[in-house]
Amino acid sequence: MSFTAIVVAAGSGSRAGGPKQWTPLGGRPVVRWSVEAFVKAGAAEVIVVIPAGSETRAAEALERLSGWRAVTGGAERADSVRAGLAQADPALPVLVHDAARPLLSGRVIDALLGALETAEAAAPALAVADTLKAAEDGRVSRTVPRAGLWRVQTPQAFAPGVLQRAYEAWTGEESPTDDLAVVEAAGGVVRLTPGDPRLMKLTYPEDFAMAEALVAQAMTTRVGMGFDAHRFGPGQSVWLCGVEIAHGQGLIGHSDADAGLHALTDALLGALGEGDIGDHFPPTDPQWKGASSDRFLAHALGLLKERGGRIASADVTLICERPKVKPHREAMRARVAEILQAPLGAVSVKATTTEGMGFTGREEGIAAQAVVAVELPVSRSSAPR
């Protein structure tokens, strides 16, 4: 069934200490998890409702993803939902989801779409399992029966035009915090589908620790190794790990001959099973003549992100007699971390010599080897279907 998805990501995140939709979770911005889930589930379009002036942040968070567009939200959640509905195709069912619930599975989406065959609206829900108490000022006044009570999650699904008409008819004095309530007030039939405990809402800072633990359970570690070497030639400097170092010679190569970044790129591509640097940037292609090697590493990182992965660690060893690497090592670490969008502590750059042996010992060139560990989802989806 074709449908439109609205991802509400316009909140300020005051209780979480800042806008949580842009906060990394498992190496990906929180908002990206939901958008990816809807795209994978076959949404005709994903409308992402964002705060005013956040277009650049949204583009960065959702780079390399297609099938989405951003609209500006309002002061209240209901205002943001209305803004998304105004752009949605009224002929299609619509699923409204809070970006703060990132661990959305295809199974939840499928169940909602199935429920719309016999109802005007549906939402995933979990039965209340804990004992409920009513209290004032910390003093319990009574026990509330939990039979028949449910914790409702998002996304909430609506048959074509149902939510639009319900909002037009809404006469409540307060802004609704739940879209089902708007349909209920209009007399619509609402059904509950099985919820998912992993579909938790990120409200407070401590919620992120729980979500990170859940994500880690669904990740696997892959390791790749790379090696590269370039010979010296005419020039006044060399590029190593993204840093230019003054030297009496240059390195010969089709690009800028940065052996460190080339080895890193091959290691990352190897971890992904995506061939080598020559497959992606053939030396016979003139467009890469003299190219900056950070472009190659950024490309490999993009492939990792497309698969929902993140860098766990990157370790480079430069093999040469000269130039001396140690004075530039921290600058190299910082540059590599910047390109990989990884913490500085996850990046290591070392140097060694071959004690005068071989082509590096004779100062005929420079070699580099690299090892990269990445974490990838066990499956391509954010959670099992």
Side-chain angles (χ1 to χ4, degrees):
M1 178 187 295
S2 185
F3 66 96
T4 298
I6 297 174
V7 177
V8 183
S12 62
S14 57
R15 288 177 291 180
K20 54 198 170 189
Q21 62 270 45
W22 318 124
T23 302
L25 173 65
R28 287 181 279 171
V30 164
V31 67
R32 188 181 183 97
W33 287 83
S34 299
V35 176
E36 285 185 347
F38 282 124
V39 170
K40 182 175 177 60
E45 183 178 39
V46 181
I47 299 171
V48 185
V49 188
I50 61 173
S54 297
E55 291 77 10
T56 299
R57 297 196 74 173
E60 292 172 350
L62 301 173
E63 63 178 342
R64 293 176 177 264
L65 278 180
S66 58
W68 67 275
R69 61 185 169 119
V71 301
T72 300
E76 303 286 343
R77 182 186 182 280
D79 299 325
S80 295
V81 173
R82 287 177 185 267
L85 286 173
Q87 302 297 318
D89 185 347
L92 291 178
V94 61
L95 273 63
V96 181
H97 185 55
D98 294 328
R101 296 183 185 270
L103 303 184
L104 173 62
S105 71
R107 182 176 57 214
V108 168
I109 296 172
D110 290 344
L112 289 170
L113 294 174
L116 291 184
E117 296 178 3
T118 58
E120 293 176 280
L126 298 170
V128 174
D130 298 320
T131 298
L132 298 177
K133 300 287 186 179
E136 294 182 8
D137 297 325
R139 182 176 179 179
V140 173
S141 59
R142 63 190 176 93
T143 299
V144 180
R146 65 173 182 246
L149 296 181
W150 297 81
R151 294 189 290 127
V152 176
Q153 303 173 311
T154 68
Q156 296 179 354
F158 305 90
V162 166
L163 188 56
Q164 290 91 328
R165 291 191 297 271
Y167 263 111
E168 290 173 1
W170 175 256
T171 58
E173 295 183 1
E174 297 183 359
S175 179
T177 58
D178 174 78
D179 300 309
L180 290 183
V182 181
V183 173
E184 292 165 23
V189 177
V190 177
R191 295 197 181 279
L192 298 181
T193 60
D196 186 343
R198 293 167 296 187
L199 197 51
M200 58 183 292
K201 186 176 182 180
L202 304 179
T203 303
Y204 301 101
E206 55 267 28
D207 295 334
F208 282 85
M210 177 65 75
E212 286 284 1
L214 291 172
V215 170
Q217 293 177 0
M219 302 290 277
T220 185
T221 300
R222 302 265 297 265
V223 176
M225 183 175 69
F227 178 85
D228 193 50
H230 287 280
R231 56 192 172 92
F232 283 122
Q236 298 299 315
S237 65
V238 297
W239 283 91
L240 290 173
C241 290
V243 174
E244 187 176 19
I245 302 173
H247 191 56
Q249 294 176 295
L251 289 172
I252 298 175
H254 187 64
S255 62
D256 62 6
D258 189 328
L261 292 190
H262 291 182
L264 266 175
T265 301
D266 264 351
L268 183 48
L269 291 172
L272 295 172
E274 291 283 355
D276 60 33
I277 195 170
D279 295 327
H280 296 260
F281 305 97
T284 54
D285 191 335
Q287 71 172 308
W288 308 121
K289 180 67 175 176
S292 175
S293 295
D294 56 2
R295 297 171 62 184
F296 306 156
L297 187 55
H299 169 77
L301 178 68
L303 296 177
L304 174 68
K305 285 190 167 186
E306 284 181 358
R307 291 170 59 173
R310 60 181 174 181
I311 299 291
S313 67
D315 183 22
V316 186
T317 300
L318 301 172
I319 308 168
C320 60
E321 299 291 332
R322 292 186 303 121
K324 295 301 181 183
V325 171
K326 189 173 182 179
H328 309 281
R329 187 168 60 189
E330 291 309 308
M332 293 178 183
R333 289 182 66 212
R335 180 58 183 142
V336 170
E338 180 183 18
I339 300 169
L340 290 177
Q341 300 175 24
L344 183 62
V347 175
S348 171
V349 175
K350 310 187 303 293
T352 190
T353 71
T354 55
E355 300 293 337
M357 299 178 291
F359 76 92
T360 59
R362 295 188 298 269
E363 299 188 35
E364 296 172 0
I366 291 178
Q369 61 184 22
V371 176
V372 173
V374 301
E375 293 178 347
L376 285 170
V378 175
S379 65
R380 290 295 300 275
S381 62
S382 59
R385 287 185 66 87

